[in-house]
């Protein structure tokens, strides 16, 4: 498997020849390039060493990658705050807490165990901007590295930042620990044997949950099932909930930035509705605007309007969502994959704060999880793809669809070309965008039933 490069970092499978996977030579190259980008003119102007936070999930390859990344940063003259096994949001919080110059998260998120990645953060604890990411890519390709001389090598400091992360969550006015304690919930969790096994029990205890049923909470990187928190992978915890032993189930991915919720009867709450439910709670206390990416459910827009706010769709990608959130002064946002971004804490997807806010919501409402889910509009998303041949021009194909939509040839709809082409019809929407890693066009559609969503997708396929 070749290395996949993007503005937010580098990912690949472990092993293989140089350039064929995420191997030690390439890890050093990418880390050195990132250090140079973070360094900029700072060292020449001040003589100070950049300070970089490094955290990792529990993947089998994590320790190896950690040693290579940390050693390379030291060799480049950077001081390292190594926070060890830590979630993506905890690493982001550590950059903020340390007032560091950046951070590297060693995680391949929901990818299987053979994958790992370097996710790159700026000095705000957020993913690199497009400009910053392209700078790192250019430096890595040039391979013109200047390593520090012996007297200028960096130093390593080891810290645990989970307590700081949890302390900041508890300080949020909308986290109602008293209500959660009074509700006396029993909570089941599946942490796919990664860092969630450390972080999720800790945040639950901190917000007042005494009864926790732990599934797959040993952080050894041996994923017991596909680590992406999708319904077909969550049968174990769903079956547990069906027995009536817990009030709610929470499932996270290996780096704990996505949150899936299971109802007390074993039904899936729906990954699209994690953000919807948390946003509903936040907006009921602090009215304002919301943002999600263009491939996320229309239900967030419905809930936002019901609270008197404005909804904005951003291009796909966390950095695009956070940029749009700042531009619109959004009080809550995120992605339909279970990613909650609560800027009152920090501008990154965070399952820990998502859990704290969700439990506060159902504790205050005094309702079952399935009852809360029934209060939201019921939409269904169909995810499809069209494979392309090498001679096809994806941009021309999308431009042609856009033209037909604007001319009314596809039907009455609103057209958004911020990221590919999205067409909003009265009965639902369809979003087409080209993949960054494969020769395909992704076609996501949503409607009031799966049959309608599939029909919308087929309707657009006919125009490709």
């Amino acid at each position: 498997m070749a290395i996949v490069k993007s503005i937010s970092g580098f990912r690949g499978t472990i092993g293989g020849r140089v350039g064929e996977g995420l191997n030690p030579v390439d890890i050093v190259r990418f880390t050195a390039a990132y250090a140079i980008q973070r360094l900029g003119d700072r060292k020449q102007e001040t003589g100070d060493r950049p300070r970089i936070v490094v955290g990792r999930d529990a993947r089998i390859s994590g320790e190896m990658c950690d040693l290579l990344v940390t050693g390379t940063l030291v060799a480049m003259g950077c001081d390292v705050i190594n926070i060890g096994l830590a979630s993506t949001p905890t690493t982001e919080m550590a950059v903020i807490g340390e007032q560091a110059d950046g951070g590297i998260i060693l995680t391949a998120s929901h990818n299987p165990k053979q994958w790992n990645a370097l996710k790159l953060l700026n000095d705000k604890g957020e993913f690199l901007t497009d400009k910053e990411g392209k700078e790192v890519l250019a430096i890595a390709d040039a391979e013109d590295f200047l390593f520090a001389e012996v007297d200028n090598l960096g130093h390593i400091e080891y810290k645990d930042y989970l307590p700081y992360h949890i302390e900041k969550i508890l300080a949020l006015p909308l986290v109602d620990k008293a209500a959660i304690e009074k509700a006396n919930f029993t909570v089941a969790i599946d942490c796919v044997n990664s860092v969630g096994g450390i972080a999720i029990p800790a945040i639950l205890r901190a917000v007042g949950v005494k009864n926790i049923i732990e599934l797959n909470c040993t952080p050894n990187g041996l994923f017991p099932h596909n680590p992406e928190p999708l319904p077909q992978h969550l049968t174990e915890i769903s079956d547990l909930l069906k027995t009536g032993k817990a009030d709610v189930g929470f499932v996270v991915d290996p780096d704990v930035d996505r949150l899936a919720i299971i109802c007390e009867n074993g039904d899936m709450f729906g990954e699209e509705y994690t953000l919807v439910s948390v946003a509903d709670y936040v907006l009921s206390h602090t009215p304002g605007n919301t943002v999600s990416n263009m491939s996320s459910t229309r239900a967030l827009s419905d809930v936002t309007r019901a609270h008197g706010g404005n909804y904005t769709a951003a291009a796909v990608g966390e950095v695009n969502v956070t940029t749009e959130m700042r531009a619109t002064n959004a009080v809550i946002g995120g992605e339909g994959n279970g990613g909650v971004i609560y800027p009152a804490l920090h501008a990154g997807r965070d399952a820990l704060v998502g859990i704290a806010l969700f439990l506060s919501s159902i504790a205050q409402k005094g309702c079952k999880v399935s009852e809360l889910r029934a209060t939201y509009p019921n939409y269904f998303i169909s995810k499809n793809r069209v494979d392309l041949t090498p001679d096809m021009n994806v941009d021309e194909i999308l431009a042609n669809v856009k033209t037909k939509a604007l001319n009314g040839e596809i039907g009455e709809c609103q057209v958004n070309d911020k990221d590919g082409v999205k067409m909003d019809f009265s009965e639902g929407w369809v979003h087409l965008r080209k993949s960054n890693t494969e020769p395909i066009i992704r076609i996501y559609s949503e409607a009031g039933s799966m049959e309608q969503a599939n029909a919308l997708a087929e309707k657009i396929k006919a125009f490709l």
Side-chain angles (χ1 to χ4, degrees):
M1 172 67 191
I3 296 172
V4 179
K5 305 175 186 179
S6 70
I7 62 170
S8 61
F10 311 93
R11 65 184 175 95
T13 51
I14 297 299
R17 293 183 172 85
V18 175
E20 292 183 353
L22 195 65
N23 57 73
V25 174
D26 287 318
I27 290 172
V28 169
R29 182 164 64 94
F30 296 138
T31 303
Y34 171 73
I36 292 172
Q37 194 278 333
R38 289 288 87 196
L39 184 64
D41 295 326
R42 187 172 183 276
K43 188 174 181 181
Q44 287 72 23
E45 293 175 354
T46 67
D48 294 338
R49 289 192 292 264
R51 301 174 70 247
I52 307 296
V53 173
V54 176
R56 69 178 179 91
D57 71 14
R59 287 170 185 275
I60 298 169
S61 61
E63 185 176 8
M64 179 269 288
C65 293
D66 190 352
L67 292 169
L68 289 164
V69 166
T70 300
T72 302
L73 290 171
V74 169
M76 292 298 296
C78 299
D79 286 341
V80 177
I81 302 95
N82 192 306
I83 63 172
L85 287 171
S87 69
T88 285
T90 300
T91 308
E92 293 168 346
M93 290 292 294
V95 173
I96 298 169
E98 289 289 331
Q99 296 184 315
D101 297 282
I104 299 178
I105 309 163
L106 303 174
T107 176
S109 190
H110 61 272
N111 290 121
K113 68 177 182 178
Q114 64 267 33
W115 288 82
N116 213 328
L118 281 66
K119 292 187 176 182
L120 310 177
L121 304 175
N122 62 20
D123 58 353
K124 298 181 180 66
E126 301 168 19
F127 289 114
L128 298 186
T129 64
D130 181 72
K131 178 177 180 293
E132 292 169 331
K134 287 177 178 175
E135 288 174 355
V136 176
L137 289 171
I139 295 167
D141 289 340
E143 295 190 359
D144 185 16
F145 309 132
L146 180 62
F147 293 95
E149 296 181 2
V150 66
D151 292 328
N152 296 321
L153 295 174
H155 299 102
I156 306 172
E157 185 176 3
Y158 295 92
K159 291 188 177 183
D160 178 8
Y161 252 88
L162 180 58
Y164 172 84
H165 187 182
I166 291 175
E167 175 190 343
K168 294 298 183 182
I169 291 174
L170 292 177
L172 294 169
L174 295 190
V175 173
D176 194 341
K177 180 178 178 179
I180 296 171
E181 286 182 326
K182 185 178 179 180
N184 194 31
F185 294 124
T186 296
V187 178
I189 57 175
D190 180 349
C191 299
V192 74
N193 286 341
S194 191
V195 293
I198 300 170
I200 302 306
I203 185 61
L204 287 172
R205 287 192 291 267
V207 298
V209 176
K210 300 180 180 65
N211 311 307
I212 306 171
I213 302 173
E214 299 184 8
L215 302 177
N216 308 314
C217 286
T218 303
N220 56 19
L222 301 176
F223 304 147
H225 53 75
N226 186 306
E228 187 166 14
L230 298 176
Q232 60 267 35
H233 307 147
L234 308 182
T235 55
E236 182 182 11
I237 190 169
S238 176
D239 289 343
L240 172 66
L241 267 293
K242 289 175 183 177
T243 66
K245 294 179 179 178
D247 300 293
V248 62
F250 294 123
V251 184
V252 293
D253 62 341
D255 67 325
V256 200
D257 60 359
R258 291 173 60 176
L259 173 64
I261 302 170
I262 318 295
C263 298
E264 81 289 342
N265 57 10
D267 289 347
M268 297 294 144
F269 194 79
E271 64 172 353
E272 291 285 337
Y273 287 84
T274 297
L275 174 58
V276 173
S277 61
V278 173
D280 181 34
Y281 173 67
V282 170
L283 292 170
S284 69
H285 291 274
T286 52
N289 301 326
T290 66
V291 174
S292 65
N293 68 41
M294 294 169 65
S295 288
S296 298
T297 180
R298 182 182 279 185
L300 180 61
S301 175
D302 294 346
V303 167
T304 303
R305 288 199 306 272
H307 286 288
N310 295 316
Y311 166 78
T312 304
V316 174
E318 185 173 324
V319 67
N320 298 317
V321 174
T322 56
T323 299
E324 197 68 52
M325 288 178 69
R326 283 201 182 89
T328 59
N329 294 314
V331 296
I332 185 76
E335 297 180 318
N337 59 7
V340 174
I341 301 175
Y342 188 44
L345 180 66
H346 70 118
R349 293 181 301 174
D350 189 332
L352 278 74
V353 76
I355 286 172
L357 293 171
F358 185 85
L359 288 175
S360 298
S361 176
I362 60 173
Q364 289 183 6
K365 291 180 172 69
C367 66
K368 294 180 179 180
V369 177
S370 61
E371 293 170 345
L372 178 64
R373 174 63 180 83
T375 65
Y376 301 123
N378 215 22
Y379 294 117
F380 297 83
I381 290 183
S382 175
K383 298 182 179 181
N384 298 273
R385 56 185 277 173
V386 172
D387 295 295
L388 305 173
T389 59
D391 60 317
M392 291 181 178
N393 187 315
V394 181
D395 293 324
E396 285 184 5
I397 292 172
L398 293 178
N400 184 48
V401 173
K402 175 188 169 184
T403 299
K404 291 180 182 295
L406 290 172
N407 290 339
E409 297 176 48
I410 299 178
E412 186 176 346
C413 64
Q414 293 181 328
V415 180
N416 185 332
D417 64 354
K418 190 180 297 182
D419 181 9
V421 183
K422 183 174 183 179
M423 292 155 282
D424 271 293
F425 303 90
S426 59
E427 69 272 27
W429 55 260
V430 182
H431 184 202
L432 288 75
R433 63 188 298 269
K434 64 179 179 181
S435 170
N436 294 323
T437 58
E438 301 176 85
I440 64 173
I441 293 177
R442 301 192 186 279
I443 304 176
Y444 286 11
S445 56
E446 182 181 63
S449 70
M450 187 57 74
E451 291 76 16
Q452 287 179 303
N454 288 330
L456 275 175
E458 291 303 320
K459 175 181 178 179
I460 300 305
K461 282 182 182 180
F463 286 89
L464 293 179

